[in-house]
Amino acid sequence: MTLKEEISCLLDTCWAGREIVYEERTGSTNDRAGELARRGALEGTLVIADAQDAGRGRRGRIWISPPGAGLFMSVILRPDTEPSRISMVTLAAAMAVREGIRKASGLETLIKWPNDIVAHGKKICGILTEMHMEKGAAAYVVTGIGVNVNAETFPAALSERASSVYLETGRKVSRAEIAAAVCGELEDVYEIFRRTWDLSELRDQYNNWLVSRGRRVRVLASKGSWEGEAEGIDRMGRLLVRRTDGKLERVVSGEVSVRGVYGYV
């Protein structure tokens, strides 16, 4: 049974993943999904690949995508809201991935704002959301998800920061089960998100899973870095950080990077 067939058999959704495009190898599932979206692919179309030659993360970082060990998938969304709210899709997707991994493998993870899933201080998943504009509105959005599922080793440069579901649980996990579980969770979370087009109904749960909440963080901005304590996110997905002088700052995803003062997270 192919990976596509396995996912189809496991899906229990109304629209997420109901159309699946499988590629044995592609440059980037986000790029492939973008091509399909431009040709009118339905919302919820899932693009999945066994390997990527040009996988990428936020700010142009390379995402290592070897065949067989990882889950490389992108979902097409068509949100009917202003472009300024699209960045929140990434946070909603992180919640879906966190729960999908837990349901499929039993592994408990946390979210590193805004788009990483971490286990015991190491990254096991990254999320990249890309928006295409037409006439000042969001024509479509592609949310790409890369999960280190059954990777047994990582390059030396990444070994202290990256891990996999396998390395954290000690057992091989079905990529199809994770993909289907993530699609199910994404459908649920996205339906809640688009009731208000903000995170007001999801914020409390996101904050419960936020690895930096209550911890000191360093905010790396274009005008210099500063430190404070992360208190969670607001309804627009901005990270609330209280400076040492007591002033509360709202950090916007895409403008800064946030890393814990002590180690990666």
Side-chain angles (χ1 to χ4, degrees):
M1 187 179 292
T2 66
L3 182 60
K4 175 181 177 178
E5 291 169 337
E6 287 184 66
I7 295 170
S8 296
C9 290
L10 293 167
L11 275 175
D12 183 23
T13 59
C14 293
W15 53 266
R18 282 302 165 185
E19 294 289 334
I20 301 176
V21 176
Y22 171 75
E23 304 283 351
E24 183 174 330
R25 180 178 291 272
T26 191
S28 158
T29 58
N30 264 28
D31 289 346
R32 183 73 176 106
E35 295 172 7
L36 295 169
R38 287 190 291 274
R39 299 208 299 262
L42 296 174
E43 183 168 58
T45 297
L46 171 66
V47 177
I48 192 162
D50 197 54
Q52 296 182 120
D53 294 321
R56 61 184 184 277
R58 294 176 73 231
R59 300 186 176 93
R61 297 186 182 99
I62 295 172
W63 184 266
I64 297 175
S65 313
L71 178 62
F72 315 115
M73 56 184 277
S74 297
V75 180
I76 296 171
L77 301 171
R78 297 188 180 276
D80 184 19
T81 187
E82 57 263 35
S84 62
R85 294 175 180 261
I86 299 303
S87 63
M88 288 183 276
V89 170
T90 298
L91 280 72
M95 296 179 70
V97 173
R98 189 268 177 198
E99 276 297 272
I101 290 173
R102 183 188 66 80
K103 288 187 174 181
S105 70
L107 177 63
E108 296 284 351
T109 60
L110 293 171
I111 300 171
K112 179 179 176 291
W113 181 89
N115 67 319
D116 289 347
I117 306 299
V118 298
H120 303 113
K122 294 187 176 184
K123 180 174 178 177
I124 63 169
C125 172
I127 300 164
L128 177 65
T129 297
E130 297 177 308
M131 172 177 59
H132 178 75
M133 300 277 292
E134 285 184 5
K135 299 179 180 178
Y140 64 83
V141 171
V142 173
T143 295
I145 298 165
V147 184
N148 298 327
V149 181
N150 290 320
E152 298 180 3
T153 60
F154 289 92
L158 297 177
S159 60
E160 293 185 1
R161 297 188 290 116
S163 188
S164 68
V165 177
Y166 165 71
L167 290 174
E168 297 301 320
T169 62
R171 62 185 181 85
K172 298 289 184 175
V173 180
S174 164
R175 292 180 297 158
E177 287 185 20
I178 291 180
V182 168
C183 283
E185 293 297 319
L186 180 62
E187 183 171 287
D188 291 345
V189 171
Y190 188 70
E191 291 291 351
I192 295 171
F193 169 61
R194 66 180 176 188
R195 287 205 291 254
T196 57
W197 295 116
D198 64 26
L199 299 173
S200 55
E201 297 182 48
L202 297 167
R203 177 178 57 187
D204 289 347
Q205 186 60 78
Y206 186 97
N207 285 334
N208 286 339
W209 294 332
L210 183 61
V211 70
S212 58
R213 188 182 187 189
R215 298 177 62 179
R216 292 190 62 78
V217 296
R218 179 179 294 123
V219 178
L220 308 174
S222 58
K223 296 182 180 180
S225 64
W226 51 275
E227 295 182 7
E229 182 175 305
E231 297 187 356
I233 62 166
D234 65 13
R235 68 181 186 88
M236 300 302 291
R238 296 170 295 197
L239 185 65
L240 304 175
V241 181
R242 193 167 298 276
R243 287 177 176 264
T244 52
D245 62 6
K247 182 180 179 182
L248 186 65
E249 299 278 3
R250 288 172 168 79
V251 180
V252 180
S253 172
E255 294 182 358
V256 297
S257 296
V258 177
R259 295 188 185 277
V261 173
Y262 310 110
Y264 175 62
V265 298

